[in-house]
Amino acid sequence: MNAIAVPQHPPTRLDELKQWVEDVARLTRPDAIHWCDGSDAENAALIANMQADGTLIKLNEKTHPDSWLHRSHPDDVARVEHLTFVCTRHADDAGPNNHWMAPDEGHAQMDALFDGCMRGRTMYVIPYCMGPIDSPLSRCGVEITDSPYVVANMRIMTRMGAAALARIEREGLAGGAFVKGLHSIGELDPNRRFIMHFPEELTIKSYGSGYGGNALLGKKCHALRIASYQARSEGWLAEHMLILGVENPQGETHYIAAAFPSACGKTNLAMLIPPEGYRRDGWKVTTIGDDICWMRPGADGRLYAINPEAGFFGVAPGTSSKSNPNALATIQNNTIFTNVGLTADGQPWWEGLDGGVPAYDWRGHEYDSSAPASSRGPAAHPNARFTVSAKQCPSYSPMAEHPQGVPISAIVFGGRRASLVPLVFEARDWTHGVLVGAAMGSETTAAATGAVGVMRRDPMAMKPFCGYNFADYFAHWLSFGDVAGLPKIFHVNWFRKGDDGKFLWPGFGDNLRVIEWMIARVKGDAGAQDTPIGALPHAHDLNLDGVDLGDEARAKLFGFDEAGWREEFAGIGEFLDEYGPRMPAALKAEQARILAELGG
Ligand SMILES: Nc1nc2c(ncn2[C@@H]2O[C@H](COP(=O)(O)OP(=O)(O)OP(=O)(O)O)[C@@H](O)[C@H]2O)c(=O)[nH]1
Ligand SMILES: O=C([O-])CC(=O)C(=O)O
Ligand SMILES: [Mn+2]
């Protein structure tokens, strides 16, 4: 048996951290323990090791300097919602929206998996800070992992290393807490894989997966599941939202936060490039964040938001110079690609990329692009991702580093809905807006394992990420309702389809036309028609200069289908009822009021 590799002088003064690292080492039995300082030298050494053992493949240095391809285990390519648990003392506190296990049982099951699992491996201790290192809105954690790939990704996605450790120690010595995340790739066996959260203990245990959302514990596990739980008791919001800044020709900037489910357009909207005419007129869009938003009311009653992340873990397929030129520019160097295809000259490739021919698919098998499309499948996995520092993004806003965050003017909810849901509508008030978020539906995507394209309720895009009972979560949202200065709430759908199955709205840069309307509504100077579901613009309320929409598109994007909505609202009522008496009465009353207006 290996000696327990606890260094004589662990580099921390914080007893709680020292003790936890020792306990984990005693359980997992690594050959060595490495405390990450986040330095360039440390990163270079880790990368060199991973290149040597094949974990990373060097990409073409001329076209993609300092960039790498990682091929995951083929069974480990997405989040695993069926294996993800929230372990609260009372099952009701996790709610019907989560898989639940009693904490004792969860720990026992996980500790059995972790027992001795790091033998022959190095254990890395990663102190990290979610959010700007000097922001009062930021929160810290420590991830312990046996995966150097996780270390390299956490270094991009969070503020990781010495500065984070200093903050953790300062806060810890003053009685503050940090989130403890324990991760091992284990054997990458899908039958021995669990992602467990213990929100009451600020603890995460993740075993058996190396995939981003399961293994980079700062992201979904901490910044959403644990943080949403913390935010509830501390009076703030932790949300699955992008944040963008929109500067109009008058030089005013409005910040907008938008919640879309996984692979439904957050990264794309966050990096939007205005259409030609808008650029000429002086519109500018800047990026604060593309996936997670932490918001808290300021002294003036407005919500102030930070992006807790430092990088983007974005969907590669579909990213092109046409759809998202900012993302493409961001990932030209210093990027880790996971599960993309590869060209003969060592460039990353995915479906939708302009140009290039894949010679290998994401598994590393030779790829014959001339074979019939039906027989060859995609070269990149549909959930192939890039990991890259936000600082490389041409549209990244300096305000993203601001410790006080940015004031939010509008909150946008949106899903992938082929039918019924119009391009945009505005909620009547905060309570109605919370219902709009709670009632969100979307067709499933490749970001999680399971069937794709199935419509499911995904309230506020948080179905996979809310660390507590949705009924309590909606009540928490409603509790903000008497704060003056709150943002207006909207709903959008970029994914409405015509009878031919094609998207009716051009999307991407043209989404700015919808945002322009929202900002005008915030300022009180844009038209709309009132309907039971909210205020809907007429086509002429939006600037559609240069957009060619046919009659079908106009009718469906700006139309209101009363019978369809009556059915939808009946379904929303059933959904709310699944939560029993815990569901806030105000939300049910709002649903009943609208259903009645719809004639139901
Ligand atoms: N039709 C259409 N497709 C879009 C639009 N915006 C994004 N998409 C597509 O939606 C897919 C996912 O977009 P992303 O921006 O990566 O989604 P995301 O919400 O950031 O995803 P996560 O990282 O999983 O949270 C890509 O294939 C995009 O090309 C749009 O406005 N219209
Ligand atoms: O969590 C992940 O792996 C990627 C992501 O952003 C999502 O699925 O929403
Ligand atoms: Mn996401």
Side-chain angles (χ1 to χ4, degrees), residues 11 33-50 122-127 148 150-152 154-156 160-162:
I33 299 179
H34 178 91
W35 288 71
C36 298
D37 62 11
S39 64
D40 290 345
E42 174 183 85
N43 188 54
L46 285 173
I47 298 261
N49 286 345
M50 285 190 277
T122 296
M123 177 175 117
Y124 300 92
V125 181
I126 313 171
V150 165
V151 179
M154 282 290 284
R155 183 169 182 267
I156 298 173
M160 176 269 256

mmCIF file of all heavy atoms in Angstrom, residues 11 33-50 122-127 148 150-152 154-156 160-162:
data_model
loop_
_atom_site.group_PDB
_atom_site.id
_atom_site.type_symbol
_atom_site.label_atom_id
_atom_site.label_comp_id
_atom_site.label_asym_id
_atom_site.label_seq_id
_atom_site.Cartn_x
_atom_site.Cartn_y
_atom_site.Cartn_z
ATOM 1 N N PRO A 11 0.689 24.111 2.238
ATOM 2 C CA PRO A 11 0.836 25.555 2.100
ATOM 3 C C PRO A 11 -0.439 26.310 2.468
ATOM 4 O O PRO A 11 -0.940 27.099 1.692
ATOM 5 C CB PRO A 11 1.184 25.735 0.627
ATOM 6 C CG PRO A 11 0.595 24.548 -0.040
ATOM 7 C CD PRO A 11 0.547 23.445 0.965
ATOM 8 N N ILE A 33 0.658 14.887 -3.632
ATOM 9 C CA ILE A 33 -0.332 15.967 -3.524
ATOM 10 C C ILE A 33 0.300 17.225 -4.095
ATOM 11 O O ILE A 33 1.426 17.578 -3.745
ATOM 12 C CB ILE A 33 -0.739 16.220 -2.060
ATOM 13 C CG1 ILE A 33 -1.377 14.965 -1.466
ATOM 14 C CG2 ILE A 33 -1.715 17.406 -1.977
ATOM 15 C CD1 ILE A 33 -1.797 15.098 -0.019
ATOM 16 N N HIS A 34 -0.427 17.864 -4.982
ATOM 17 C CA HIS A 34 0.074 19.107 -5.571
ATOM 18 C C HIS A 34 -0.906 20.238 -5.290
ATOM 19 O O HIS A 34 -2.065 20.177 -5.693
ATOM 20 C CB HIS A 34 0.264 18.926 -7.083
ATOM 21 C CG HIS A 34 0.722 20.173 -7.769
ATOM 22 N ND1 HIS A 34 2.050 20.466 -7.958
ATOM 23 C CD2 HIS A 34 0.022 21.230 -8.272
ATOM 24 C CE1 HIS A 34 2.152 21.641 -8.555
ATOM 25 N NE2 HIS A 34 0.938 22.133 -8.758
ATOM 26 N N TRP A 35 -0.449 21.271 -4.602
ATOM 27 C CA TRP A 35 -1.279 22.459 -4.362
ATOM 28 C C TRP A 35 -1.092 23.410 -5.533
ATOM 29 O O TRP A 35 0.017 23.878 -5.786
ATOM 30 C CB TRP A 35 -0.874 23.151 -3.058
ATOM 31 C CG TRP A 35 -1.277 22.396 -1.827
ATOM 32 C CD1 TRP A 35 -0.730 21.219 -1.383
ATOM 33 C CD2 TRP A 35 -2.307 22.753 -0.907
ATOM 34 N NE1 TRP A 35 -1.369 20.818 -0.231
ATOM 35 C CE2 TRP A 35 -2.341 21.755 0.096
ATOM 36 C CE3 TRP A 35 -3.215 23.809 -0.806
ATOM 37 C CZ2 TRP A 35 -3.232 21.776 1.158
ATOM 38 C CZ3 TRP A 35 -4.099 23.849 0.265
ATOM 39 C CH2 TRP A 35 -4.108 22.831 1.237
ATOM 40 N N CYS A 36 -2.148 23.718 -6.251
ATOM 41 C CA CYS A 36 -2.021 24.527 -7.467
ATOM 42 C C CYS A 36 -1.869 26.002 -7.112
ATOM 43 O O CYS A 36 -2.658 26.543 -6.323
ATOM 44 C CB CYS A 36 -3.251 24.340 -8.348
ATOM 45 S SG CYS A 36 -3.448 22.634 -8.889
ATOM 46 N N ASP A 37 -0.848 26.625 -7.731
ATOM 47 C CA ASP A 37 -0.670 28.063 -7.514
ATOM 48 C C ASP A 37 -1.158 28.877 -8.712
ATOM 49 O O ASP A 37 -1.180 30.097 -8.678
ATOM 50 C CB ASP A 37 0.794 28.386 -7.183
ATOM 51 C CG ASP A 37 1.749 28.021 -8.320
ATOM 52 O OD1 ASP A 37 1.275 27.709 -9.439
ATOM 53 O OD2 ASP A 37 2.983 28.047 -8.093
ATOM 54 N N GLY A 38 -1.536 28.177 -9.792
ATOM 55 C CA GLY A 38 -2.084 28.876 -10.952
ATOM 56 C C GLY A 38 -1.040 29.522 -11.846
ATOM 57 O O GLY A 38 -1.392 30.239 -12.785
ATOM 58 N N SER A 39 0.235 29.264 -11.583
ATOM 59 C CA SER A 39 1.291 29.949 -12.348
ATOM 60 C C SER A 39 1.412 29.395 -13.766
ATOM 61 O O SER A 39 0.972 28.280 -14.066
ATOM 62 C CB SER A 39 2.640 29.783 -11.632
ATOM 63 O OG SER A 39 2.989 28.405 -11.611
ATOM 64 N N ASP A 40 2.061 30.188 -14.626
ATOM 65 C CA ASP A 40 2.327 29.744 -15.998
ATOM 66 C C ASP A 40 3.210 28.499 -15.995
ATOM 67 O O ASP A 40 3.008 27.575 -16.793
ATOM 68 C CB ASP A 40 3.027 30.857 -16.794
ATOM 69 C CG ASP A 40 2.094 32.021 -17.082
ATOM 70 O OD1 ASP A 40 0.862 31.840 -16.932
ATOM 71 O OD2 ASP A 40 2.581 33.109 -17.429
ATOM 72 N N ALA A 41 4.195 28.494 -15.101
ATOM 73 C CA ALA A 41 5.135 27.364 -15.074
ATOM 74 C C ALA A 41 4.392 26.074 -14.713
ATOM 75 O O ALA A 41 4.612 25.015 -15.317
ATOM 76 C CB ALA A 41 6.248 27.642 -14.064
ATOM 77 N N GLU A 42 3.513 26.189 -13.736
ATOM 78 C CA GLU A 42 2.729 25.016 -13.321
ATOM 79 C C GLU A 42 1.884 24.500 -14.485
ATOM 80 O O GLU A 42 1.843 23.301 -14.785
ATOM 81 C CB GLU A 42 1.826 25.414 -12.156
ATOM 82 C CG GLU A 42 0.858 24.357 -11.711
ATOM 83 C CD GLU A 42 -0.025 24.901 -10.591
ATOM 84 O OE1 GLU A 42 -1.057 25.555 -10.899
ATOM 85 O OE2 GLU A 42 0.331 24.715 -9.418
ATOM 86 N N ASN A 43 1.236 25.441 -15.165
ATOM 87 C CA ASN A 43 0.384 25.060 -16.289
ATOM 88 C C ASN A 43 1.200 24.397 -17.398
ATOM 89 O O ASN A 43 0.806 23.360 -17.944
ATOM 90 C CB ASN A 43 -0.332 26.304 -16.825
ATOM 91 C CG ASN A 43 -1.374 25.953 -17.862
ATOM 92 O OD1 ASN A 43 -2.248 25.132 -17.619
ATOM 93 N ND2 ASN A 43 -1.263 26.568 -19.031
ATOM 94 N N ALA A 44 2.364 24.976 -17.697
ATOM 95 C CA ALA A 44 3.209 24.420 -18.760
ATOM 96 C C ALA A 44 3.625 22.990 -18.421
ATOM 97 O O ALA A 44 3.625 22.103 -19.289
ATOM 98 C CB ALA A 44 4.433 25.316 -18.975
ATOM 99 N N ALA A 45 3.953 22.762 -17.152
ATOM 100 C CA ALA A 45 4.389 21.417 -16.754
ATOM 101 C C ALA A 45 3.231 20.418 -16.880
ATOM 102 O O ALA A 45 3.409 19.298 -17.375
ATOM 103 C CB ALA A 45 4.918 21.453 -15.319
ATOM 104 N N LEU A 46 2.051 20.835 -16.451
ATOM 105 C CA LEU A 46 0.884 19.941 -16.550
ATOM 106 C C LEU A 46 0.580 19.614 -18.013
ATOM 107 O O LEU A 46 0.312 18.461 -18.369
ATOM 108 C CB LEU A 46 -0.346 20.609 -15.933
ATOM 109 C CG LEU A 46 -0.398 20.655 -14.407
ATOM 110 C CD1 LEU A 46 -1.590 21.488 -13.954
ATOM 111 C CD2 LEU A 46 -0.516 19.237 -13.856
ATOM 112 N N ILE A 47 0.627 20.648 -18.854
ATOM 113 C CA ILE A 47 0.332 20.451 -20.277
ATOM 114 C C ILE A 47 1.358 19.506 -20.900
ATOM 115 O O ILE A 47 0.998 18.599 -21.670
ATOM 116 C CB ILE A 47 0.330 21.818 -21.007
ATOM 117 C CG1 ILE A 47 -0.762 22.731 -20.438
ATOM 118 C CG2 ILE A 47 0.246 21.641 -22.516
ATOM 119 C CD1 ILE A 47 -2.035 22.825 -21.194
ATOM 120 N N ALA A 48 2.619 19.701 -20.549
ATOM 121 C CA ALA A 48 3.673 18.840 -21.114
ATOM 122 C C ALA A 48 3.413 17.381 -20.727
ATOM 123 O O ALA A 48 3.519 16.474 -21.569
ATOM 124 C CB ALA A 48 5.047 19.302 -20.632
ATOM 125 N N ASN A 49 3.051 17.149 -19.466
ATOM 126 C CA ASN A 49 2.743 15.776 -19.037
ATOM 127 C C ASN A 49 1.562 15.208 -19.812
ATOM 128 O O ASN A 49 1.570 14.046 -20.226
ATOM 129 C CB ASN A 49 2.378 15.745 -17.550
ATOM 130 C CG ASN A 49 3.591 15.914 -16.673
ATOM 131 O OD1 ASN A 49 4.728 15.781 -17.152
ATOM 132 N ND2 ASN A 49 3.366 16.224 -15.402
ATOM 133 N N MET A 50 0.546 16.042 -19.996
ATOM 134 C CA MET A 50 -0.656 15.546 -20.686
ATOM 135 C C MET A 50 -0.369 15.295 -22.162
ATOM 136 O O MET A 50 -0.943 14.404 -22.770
ATOM 137 C CB MET A 50 -1.820 16.535 -20.515
ATOM 138 C CG MET A 50 -2.429 16.472 -19.129
ATOM 139 S SD MET A 50 -3.965 17.406 -19.031
ATOM 140 C CE MET A 50 -3.352 19.047 -18.773
ATOM 141 N N THR A 122 -1.614 11.628 -8.984
ATOM 142 C CA THR A 122 -1.367 12.837 -8.198
ATOM 143 C C THR A 122 -2.708 13.462 -7.853
ATOM 144 O O THR A 122 -3.607 13.507 -8.687
ATOM 145 C CB THR A 122 -0.511 13.829 -9.004
ATOM 146 O OG1 THR A 122 0.764 13.236 -9.240
ATOM 147 C CG2 THR A 122 -0.327 15.152 -8.258
ATOM 148 N N MET A 123 -2.816 13.937 -6.633
ATOM 149 C CA MET A 123 -4.022 14.651 -6.215
ATOM 150 C C MET A 123 -3.718 16.150 -6.283
ATOM 151 O O MET A 123 -2.745 16.618 -5.719
ATOM 152 C CB MET A 123 -4.341 14.222 -4.781
ATOM 153 C CG MET A 123 -5.508 14.917 -4.174
ATOM 154 S SD MET A 123 -5.860 14.190 -2.532
ATOM 155 C CE MET A 123 -5.560 15.614 -1.539
ATOM 156 N N TYR A 124 -4.563 16.864 -7.025
ATOM 157 C CA TYR A 124 -4.370 18.309 -7.163
ATOM 158 C C TYR A 124 -5.354 19.038 -6.263
ATOM 159 O O TYR A 124 -6.540 18.696 -6.224
ATOM 160 C CB TYR A 124 -4.595 18.734 -8.624
ATOM 161 C CG TYR A 124 -3.652 18.049 -9.578
ATOM 162 C CD1 TYR A 124 -4.002 16.850 -10.211
ATOM 163 C CD2 TYR A 124 -2.388 18.588 -9.833
ATOM 164 C CE1 TYR A 124 -3.128 16.204 -11.068
ATOM 165 C CE2 TYR A 124 -1.501 17.951 -10.696
ATOM 166 C CZ TYR A 124 -1.877 16.754 -11.314
ATOM 167 O OH TYR A 124 -1.007 16.116 -12.158
ATOM 168 N N VAL A 125 -4.868 20.052 -5.577
ATOM 169 C CA VAL A 125 -5.719 20.887 -4.721
ATOM 170 C C VAL A 125 -5.828 22.245 -5.414
ATOM 171 O O VAL A 125 -4.823 22.929 -5.614
ATOM 172 C CB VAL A 125 -5.108 21.046 -3.315
ATOM 173 C CG1 VAL A 125 -6.023 21.901 -2.433
ATOM 174 C CG2 VAL A 125 -4.851 19.685 -2.685
ATOM 175 N N ILE A 126 -7.048 22.590 -5.821
ATOM 176 C CA ILE A 126 -7.248 23.801 -6.635
ATOM 177 C C ILE A 126 -8.076 24.827 -5.858
ATOM 178 O O ILE A 126 -9.312 24.741 -5.811
ATOM 179 C CB ILE A 126 -8.016 23.477 -7.943
ATOM 180 C CG1 ILE A 126 -7.432 22.259 -8.649
ATOM 181 C CG2 ILE A 126 -8.051 24.697 -8.854
ATOM 182 C CD1 ILE A 126 -8.299 21.778 -9.832
ATOM 183 N N PRO A 127 -7.432 25.846 -5.274
ATOM 184 C CA PRO A 127 -8.216 26.930 -4.673
ATOM 185 C C PRO A 127 -8.704 27.843 -5.800
ATOM 186 O O PRO A 127 -7.928 28.181 -6.695
ATOM 187 C CB PRO A 127 -7.194 27.680 -3.797
ATOM 188 C CG PRO A 127 -5.879 26.977 -3.995
ATOM 189 C CD PRO A 127 -5.979 26.065 -5.156
ATOM 190 N N PRO A 148 -5.437 16.144 -14.320
ATOM 191 C CA PRO A 148 -4.726 17.357 -14.740
ATOM 192 C C PRO A 148 -5.501 18.134 -15.815
ATOM 193 O O PRO A 148 -5.370 19.351 -15.915
ATOM 194 C CB PRO A 148 -3.388 16.839 -15.279
ATOM 195 C CG PRO A 148 -3.559 15.368 -15.477
ATOM 196 C CD PRO A 148 -4.681 14.909 -14.606
ATOM 197 N N VAL A 150 -8.697 18.586 -15.699
ATOM 198 C CA VAL A 150 -9.585 19.437 -14.901
ATOM 199 C C VAL A 150 -8.814 20.657 -14.384
ATOM 200 O O VAL A 150 -9.310 21.782 -14.416
ATOM 201 C CB VAL A 150 -10.225 18.629 -13.746
ATOM 202 C CG1 VAL A 150 -10.839 19.547 -12.696
ATOM 203 C CG2 VAL A 150 -11.278 17.670 -14.299
ATOM 204 N N VAL A 151 -7.575 20.441 -13.936
ATOM 205 C CA VAL A 151 -6.773 21.574 -13.444
ATOM 206 C C VAL A 151 -6.606 22.611 -14.559
ATOM 207 O O VAL A 151 -6.847 23.806 -14.362
ATOM 208 C CB VAL A 151 -5.384 21.116 -12.953
ATOM 209 C CG1 VAL A 151 -4.571 22.327 -12.482
ATOM 210 C CG2 VAL A 151 -5.506 20.081 -11.835
ATOM 211 N N ALA A 152 -6.228 22.157 -15.737
ATOM 212 C CA ALA A 152 -5.983 23.086 -16.855
ATOM 213 C C ALA A 152 -7.262 23.833 -17.228
ATOM 214 O O ALA A 152 -7.231 25.031 -17.536
ATOM 215 C CB ALA A 152 -5.431 22.321 -18.058
ATOM 216 N N MET A 154 -9.932 24.342 -15.145
ATOM 217 C CA MET A 154 -10.308 25.224 -14.022
ATOM 218 C C MET A 154 -9.459 26.495 -14.038
ATOM 219 O O MET A 154 -9.911 27.560 -13.632
ATOM 220 C CB MET A 154 -10.122 24.498 -12.687
ATOM 221 C CG MET A 154 -11.221 23.512 -12.352
ATOM 222 S SD MET A 154 -12.808 24.291 -11.964
ATOM 223 C CE MET A 154 -12.511 24.901 -10.295
ATOM 224 N N ARG A 155 -8.225 26.376 -14.520
ATOM 225 C CA ARG A 155 -7.350 27.552 -14.582
ATOM 226 C C ARG A 155 -7.892 28.576 -15.583
ATOM 227 O O ARG A 155 -7.751 29.773 -15.404
ATOM 228 C CB ARG A 155 -5.943 27.120 -14.993
ATOM 229 C CG ARG A 155 -4.957 28.268 -15.018
ATOM 230 C CD ARG A 155 -3.547 27.723 -15.156
ATOM 231 N NE ARG A 155 -2.578 28.801 -15.127
ATOM 232 C CZ ARG A 155 -2.120 29.405 -16.210
ATOM 233 N NH1 ARG A 155 -2.557 29.043 -17.404
ATOM 234 N NH2 ARG A 155 -1.229 30.371 -16.105
ATOM 235 N N ILE A 156 -8.565 28.082 -16.613
ATOM 236 C CA ILE A 156 -9.153 28.987 -17.609
ATOM 237 C C ILE A 156 -10.509 29.507 -17.123
ATOM 238 O O ILE A 156 -10.840 30.683 -17.291
ATOM 239 C CB ILE A 156 -9.321 28.247 -18.960
ATOM 240 C CG1 ILE A 156 -7.943 27.806 -19.491
ATOM 241 C CG2 ILE A 156 -10.040 29.129 -19.970
ATOM 242 C CD1 ILE A 156 -8.016 26.913 -20.732
ATOM 243 N N MET A 160 -7.969 31.006 -10.361
ATOM 244 C CA MET A 160 -7.483 29.853 -9.620
ATOM 245 C C MET A 160 -6.052 30.082 -9.139
ATOM 246 O O MET A 160 -5.276 30.739 -9.826
ATOM 247 C CB MET A 160 -7.539 28.644 -10.573
ATOM 248 C CG MET A 160 -6.984 27.375 -10.014
ATOM 249 S SD MET A 160 -5.224 27.183 -10.394
ATOM 250 C CE MET A 160 -5.325 25.965 -11.691
ATOM 251 N N GLY A 161 -5.728 29.581 -7.961
ATOM 252 C CA GLY A 161 -4.349 29.589 -7.497
ATOM 253 C C GLY A 161 -4.119 30.468 -6.281
ATOM 254 O O GLY A 161 -4.988 30.601 -5.413
ATOM 255 N N ALA A 162 -2.940 31.095 -6.249
ATOM 256 C CA ALA A 162 -2.453 31.771 -5.037
ATOM 257 C C ALA A 162 -3.402 32.866 -4.546
ATOM 258 O O ALA A 162 -3.689 32.960 -3.347
ATOM 259 C CB ALA A 162 -1.062 32.346 -5.300
#
